Amino acid sequence: MNDPKTKEQEEQILLRKHRDTLYISGNGIMVFGAWSLIQSFFYATILQQELKDMAGLDSNYPEGLLYIVMFVLVAIEIAFRLYIGFSARAVSKGKKKSPAYLVTCILVTLYYLFILIVNISDPSRYGILRYIITIILDLTSLYIHVEVVYAGIKVRKILRSDHAD
């Protein structure tokens, strides 16, 4: 009943499952990075006044500085997403990675949880359709990050138990 070969096979199945989750979720995190870039372009071109309002700036504020700050913040976000996404994909392919990508993912997850709470707490900020879309996107991003953390921890645990035997 507790045949060691069966236990080993079960661990390999779980390892494959969690690695697949890491690969898919890593891709998802990177896709959300592309979405952030598109959204930033949208704000910079079409919703310039709303961007200034969100930043709490008056209409006389120099636009160039606002765009530089926005570009830097988006670049940082995309860098984090690429780091997490490529690291998750590498682990899914059997490469050894430092757990730093998981720590980074946890910190980004906490950030998105904060953003979600802020967005939920102020539904009047946007129209109802935009509010619903924003909440759905935030929840999806949060879910993908949690998936990476969970699957990453599981893969590390399974690999550690294989080396302990």
Side-chain angles (χ1 to χ4, degrees):
M1 195 160 186
N2 279 338
D3 183 21
K5 181 136 174 108
T6 305
K7 183 179 182 204
E8 185 179 308
Q9 288 173 339
E10 287 176 10
E11 280 187 345
Q12 289 304 311
I13 290 169
L14 281 175
L15 181 61
R16 193 169 39 249
K17 173 188 168 213
H18 293 305
R19 281 182 168 167
D20 288 347
T21 299
L22 274 176
Y23 188 84
I24 292 167
S25 298
N27 285 336
I29 286 175
M30 290 187 289
V31 166
F32 268 94
W35 169 246
S36 294
L37 190 61
I38 292 167
Q39 188 178 24
S40 298
F41 179 76
F42 184 67
Y43 274 111
T45 57
I46 297 173
L47 298 173
Q48 293 171 352
Q49 188 56 46
E50 186 172 334
L51 181 62
K52 286 182 181 181
D53 292 344
M54 282 183 1
L57 305 172
D58 64 16
S59 58
N60 296 329
Y61 193 83
E63 287 182 10
L65 183 60
L66 178 63
Y67 294 134
I68 290 170
V69 170
M70 186 176 80
F71 173 77
V72 168
L73 292 175
V74 170
I76 290 169
E77 178 185 2
I78 290 172
F80 278 136
R81 287 182 178 277
L82 289 175
Y83 172 66
I84 294 166
F86 280 124
S87 295
R89 287 177 50 154
V91 170
S92 78
K93 296 297 182 188
K95 296 201 172 48
K96 290 203 179 246
K97 291 300 268 183
S98 159
Y101 86 97
L102 290 174
V103 173
T104 304
C105 194
I106 290 169
L107 294 173
V108 171
T109 302
L110 293 174
Y111 168 74
Y112 276 104
L113 184 60
F114 172 75
I115 294 297
L116 179 65
I117 291 168
V118 168
N119 285 334
I120 287 174
S121 68
D122 189 10
S124 64
R125 220 166 71 182
Y126 309 116
I128 189 68
L129 181 60
R130 191 160 155 207
Y131 174 74
I132 291 170
I133 291 169
T134 300
I135 298 302
I136 290 171
L137 288 172
D138 289 348
L139 282 171
T140 304
S141 182
L142 187 65
Y143 176 78
I144 291 171
H145 283 80
V146 168
E147 279 284 302
V148 166
V149 171
Y150 180 77
I153 290 171
K154 287 295 189 179
V155 166
R156 290 182 65 78
K157 208 178 216 183
I158 291 169
L159 291 176
R160 230 183 269 140
S161 73
D162 282 351
H163 293 301
D165 293 338

